[in-house]
């Protein structure tokens, strides 16, 4: 007789954006009878409107299914749906840690993408059983044999054994359920040991506090007992434990190998960090589950309300977003040009885009975002090392010994005909060539080391346009390296505009300064006096443009008479212009702050 734990299968689905991960999850829920006809809708696990619109998973989800296999046994299948984007790599790694197997979904018409390989290596690193699956085989442009061959070369699974399915029509999905039961191993763990449960996600419920999603590795998690988070030592009473179907379903306890949730009046989601280990307060475990780390923001940007009266609304909105997203960090910031706002730290550009869109959609805010920056390490001559994420905080050049910037390892998977233009793009972005691996006859993986600052603006857009949309891109953090970087300031009539400052490589400073001043000359409206726009490094001006004064014809009302009457009016205008220039302030329109983003165009 098989034990209860032998009938549990914990698995996740690894796939690139738009390869059919959420559709496959829908079919599995349908075939196992977890969903009724009435509850059925597309992308049922993607609960955010944004996730449905973009076809991406932003927040990881978990759901429990029961499946009666052909051998007559009833199995418990825990599907832990993971976000697929590079910005959420740490969350993906923790979700993978909670599983014993992973379904690798590859689109039969598009083939393997960079992101798939990245998450596949993560899964192999956690020693998961990989089940490769070819999806969308019903499409007329599908290339199942070719793509199956490239999967065989990548992970060694024989091409003829790779399952071919259509998540949309349900073809091949029953066979996939059988393979999950047969090939994915049951969870290990010691039920009699002290409790060790991995936190792989948490969401905030306004009535109950943080709802923590856990996978129990050892021991049992019982309702009513006192639990402790091992990273911060905080203790709570487990008021409710349960399993995750479409709704939360309370149970008396979660045993080793099970996936579920725990609620314990945790008022702050930051107390329940992803990757932490929960143990019992009275009989704590000796060691936490390895791999926990604090999630650090990689990209920083200033966010300001266009209407200063909305400052408090913006603060309240950010606090609400933070309740469901512990990786979001923000501190108040003041800009001479934009007034009061916040400096926000994001995991990456997609994370930044999602937060901006949610602020505008869900909270109805009108915001201006300054140029995104990465975090630099500045070594001062005194030997002190400080971190700078805002160009206006950069110390004077005389105090700096060196500046270090973050580098990433980039994987670019592309059809072979675009290798040249893509290598040129990476060279232009100060990339260091590392390797070139052919995945099959027509596709190649280019490996480069690139400064993070060079890829956060428009690198992805350029990559897509150079490769006509065929190349895919993924990256992971490497380290900080010394670089010849300078702060480029923009002065309007001699006054520096802090929101337009940016940190650039010295070799590109002149080009960026010239393009920026030219752009601003077109965007800033003409005044009744000349306006000087200058780009400067320290006290040295490297580029200048002048907006010519509007000519007001003050002599229009002079009908005839002596020429001295006209001259008198012109002299008076000249005096007025001089006085205006001394006290005149130039209003910088919102579009000017976005000009920095498109300076490479």
């Amino acid at each position: 007789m098989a034990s209860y734990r032998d009938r549990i299968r914990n698995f996740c689905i690894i796939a690139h954006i738009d390869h059919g991960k959420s559709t496959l999850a829908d079919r599995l829920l349908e075939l196992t009878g977890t969903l009724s006809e009435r509850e059925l809708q597309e992308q049922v696990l993607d609960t955010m409107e944004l996730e449905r619109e973009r076809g991406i998973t932003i927040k990881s989800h978990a759901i429990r299914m029961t499946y009666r296999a052909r051998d007559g046994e009833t199995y418990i299948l825990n599907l832990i749906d993971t976000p697929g984007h590079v910005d959420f790599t740490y969350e993906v790694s923790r979700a993978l840690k909670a599983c014993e197997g992973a379904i690798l979904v590859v689109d039969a018409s598009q083939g393997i993408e960079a992101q798939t390989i990245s998450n596949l290596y993560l899964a192999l690193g956690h020693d998961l059983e990989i089940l490769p699956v070819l999806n969308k085989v019903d499409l007329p442009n599908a290339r199942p044999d070719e793509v199956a061959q490239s999967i065989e070369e990548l992970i060694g699974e024989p091409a003829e054994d790779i399952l071919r399915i259509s998540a949309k029509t349900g073809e091949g999905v029953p066979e996939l359920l059988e393979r999950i039961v047969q090939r994915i191993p049951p969870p290990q763990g010691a039920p009699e040991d002290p409790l060790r449960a991995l936190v792989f996600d948490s969401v905030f419920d306004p009535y109950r506090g943080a709802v923590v999603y856990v996978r129990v590795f050892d021991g049992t998690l019982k309702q009513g007992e006192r639990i402790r988070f091992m990273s911060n030592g905080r203790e709570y009473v487990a008021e409710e434990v349960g399993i995750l179907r479409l709704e939360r379903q309370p149970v008396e306890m979660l045993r080793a190998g099970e996936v579920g949730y725990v609620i314990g009046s945790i008022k702050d989601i930051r107390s329940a960090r992803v990757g932490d280990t929960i143990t019992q307060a009275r009989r704590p475990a000796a060691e936490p589950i390895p791999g926990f780390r604090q999630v650090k923001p990689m990209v920083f940007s200033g966010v300001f309300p266009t209407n200063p009266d909305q400052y408090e609304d913006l603060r309240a909105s950010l606090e609400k977003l933070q309740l469901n997203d512990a990786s979001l960090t923000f501190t108040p910031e003041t800009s001479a040009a934009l007034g009061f706002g916040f400096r926000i730290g994001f995991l990456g550009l997609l994370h930044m885009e999602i937060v901006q869109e949610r602020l505008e959609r869900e909270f109805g805010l009108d915001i201006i975002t300054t140029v995104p920056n990465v975090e630099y390490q500045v070594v001062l001559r005194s030997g002190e090392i400080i971190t700078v994420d805002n160009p206006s905080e950069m110390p004077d050049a005389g105090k700096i010994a060196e500046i270090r910037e973050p580098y990433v390892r980039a994987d670019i998977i592309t059809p072979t005909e675009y290798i040249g233009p893509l290598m040129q793009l990476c060279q232009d972005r100060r990339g260091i060539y590392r390797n070139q691996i052919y995945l099959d006859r027509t596709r190649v993986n280019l490996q480069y080391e690139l400064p993070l600052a060079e890829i956060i603006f428009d690198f992805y857009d350029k990559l897509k346009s150079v490769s006509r949309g065929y190349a895919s891109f993924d990256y992971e953090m490497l380290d900080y390296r010394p670089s010849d970087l300078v702060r480029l300031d923009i002065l309007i009539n001699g006054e520096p505009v802090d929101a337009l400052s940016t940190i650039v490589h010295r070799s590109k400073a002149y080009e960026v300064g010239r393009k920026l001043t030219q752009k601003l000359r077109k965007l800033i409206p003409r005044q009744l006096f000349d306006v000087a726009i200058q780009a400067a490094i320290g006290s040295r001006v490297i580029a200048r443009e002048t907006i010519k004064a509007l000519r007001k014809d003050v002599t229009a009302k002079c009908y005839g008479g002596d020429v001295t009457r006209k001259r008198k009016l012109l002299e008076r205008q000249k005096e007025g212009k001089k006085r205006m220039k001394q006290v005149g302030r130039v209003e910088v329109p919102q579009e000017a702050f976005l000009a920095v983003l498109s300076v490479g165009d």
Side-chain angles (χ1 to χ4, degrees), residues 347-394:
L347 296 173
L349 278 191
L350 178 80
H351 190 213
M352 176 177 160
E353 222 176 291
I354 287 160
V355 169
Q356 279 176 20
E357 216 159 314
R358 290 186 71 186
L359 284 172
E360 286 170 357
R361 276 191 195 191
E362 294 175 25
F363 302 100
L365 295 171
D366 202 2
I367 54 174
I368 298 177
T369 316
T370 62
V371 191
N373 278 294
V374 298
E375 195 171 64
Y376 297 95
Q377 289 181 350
V378 181
V379 184
L380 303 178
R381 292 195 187 280
S382 61
E384 186 190 350
I385 298 175
I386 59 169
T387 55
V388 172
D389 59 53
N390 189 342
S392 59
E393 292 170 3
M394 186 66 81

Side-chain angles (χ1 to χ4, degrees), residues 3 91 98 108 178 219 247 252 258 283 437 490 525 579 593:
S3 74
E91 283 88 334
E178 281 298 314
E247 301 293 323
E252 278 184 26
E258 287 195 283
R283 193 167 73 113
I437 303 161
I490 298 296
R579 194 163 58 246
F593 298 103

Side-chain angles (χ1 to χ4, degrees), residues 15-21 54-56 107 110 135-136:
H16 189 72
I17 291 168
D18 202 32
H19 278 210
K21 180 169 70 161
R54 289 173 172 238
I56 58 174
D107 186 325
Q110 293 181 51
N135 191 19
K136 305 190 187 181

Side-chain angles (χ1 to χ4, degrees), residues 29-44:
L29 294 172
E30 194 184 336
L31 284 170
T32 54
T34 310
L35 288 181
S36 64
E37 288 276 325
R38 191 170 53 81
E39 293 169 317
L40 203 60
Q41 58 165 331
E42 283 189 18
Q43 295 169 257
V44 76

Side-chain angles (χ1 to χ4, degrees), residues 3 38 45 78 87 168 199 225 250 289 305 319 324 341 371 375-376 428 489 580 586 597:
S3 74
R38 191 170 53 81
L45 292 184
N78 288 311
D87 287 1
K168 195 170 186 179
V199 178
E225 71 180 0
I289 295 159
E319 283 169 354
N324 276 317
V371 191
E375 195 171 64
Y376 297 95
D428 293 345
D489 290 317
M580 194 189 285
V586 182
L597 293 170

Side-chain angles (χ1 to χ4, degrees), residues 99-290:
C99 303
E100 278 75 40
I103 300 171
L104 172 68
V105 178
V106 179
D107 186 325
S109 59
Q110 293 181 51
I112 298 165
E113 306 277 8
Q115 223 165 284
T116 317
I117 288 184
S118 171
N119 287 344
L120 171 64
Y121 287 152
L122 269 177
L124 291 170
H126 287 291
D127 210 19
L128 300 192
E129 176 69 34
I130 308 293
L131 291 184
V133 168
L134 279 180
N135 191 19
K136 305 190 187 181
V137 290
D138 55 326
L139 291 182
N141 59 341
R143 307 173 283 122
D145 296 337
E146 205 177 306
V147 176
Q149 195 58 46
S150 60
I151 294 174
E152 180 180 343
E153 286 164 19
L154 189 66
I155 60 170
E157 180 90 8
E160 60 275 9
D161 292 351
I162 294 170
L163 208 54
R164 300 174 186 207
I165 68 163
S166 167
K168 195 170 186 179
T169 63
E171 178 196 335
V173 182
E175 283 72 26
L176 174 60
L177 279 165
E178 281 298 314
R179 282 209 186 176
I180 289 169
V181 166
Q182 290 159 13
R183 284 190 44 185
I184 294 175
Q188 301 301 306
E192 61 288 340
D193 281 5
L195 170 68
R196 287 202 311 166
L198 173 75
V199 178
F200 64 85
D201 196 15
S202 54
V203 293
F204 192 80
D205 183 316
Y207 303 105
R208 309 290 304 272
V211 179
V212 184
Y213 295 167
V214 294
R215 150 74 201 274
V216 181
F217 276 81
D218 299 313
T220 52
L221 176 54
K222 291 179 184 161
Q223 184 184 345
E225 71 180 0
R226 199 162 186 79
I227 56 170
R228 180 186 298 164
F229 287 91
M230 292 185 82
S231 74
N232 53 30
R234 292 183 186 175
E235 294 187 5
Y236 302 92
V237 173
E239 293 167 6
E240 181 179 310
V241 297
I243 56 173
L244 295 151
R245 291 195 181 269
L246 264 187
E247 301 293 323
R248 296 196 290 264
Q249 194 175 314
V251 294
E252 278 184 26
M253 67 174 179
L254 290 173
R255 290 171 279 194
E258 287 195 283
V259 173
Y261 70 91
V262 57
I263 298 173
S265 295
I266 304 163
K267 295 288 182 278
D268 183 1
I269 202 163
R270 281 166 291 187
S271 304
R273 292 194 177 276
V274 171
D276 202 351
T277 304
I278 292 178
T279 189
Q280 291 161 328
R282 60 177 176 82
R283 193 167 73 113
E287 290 279 309
I289 295 159

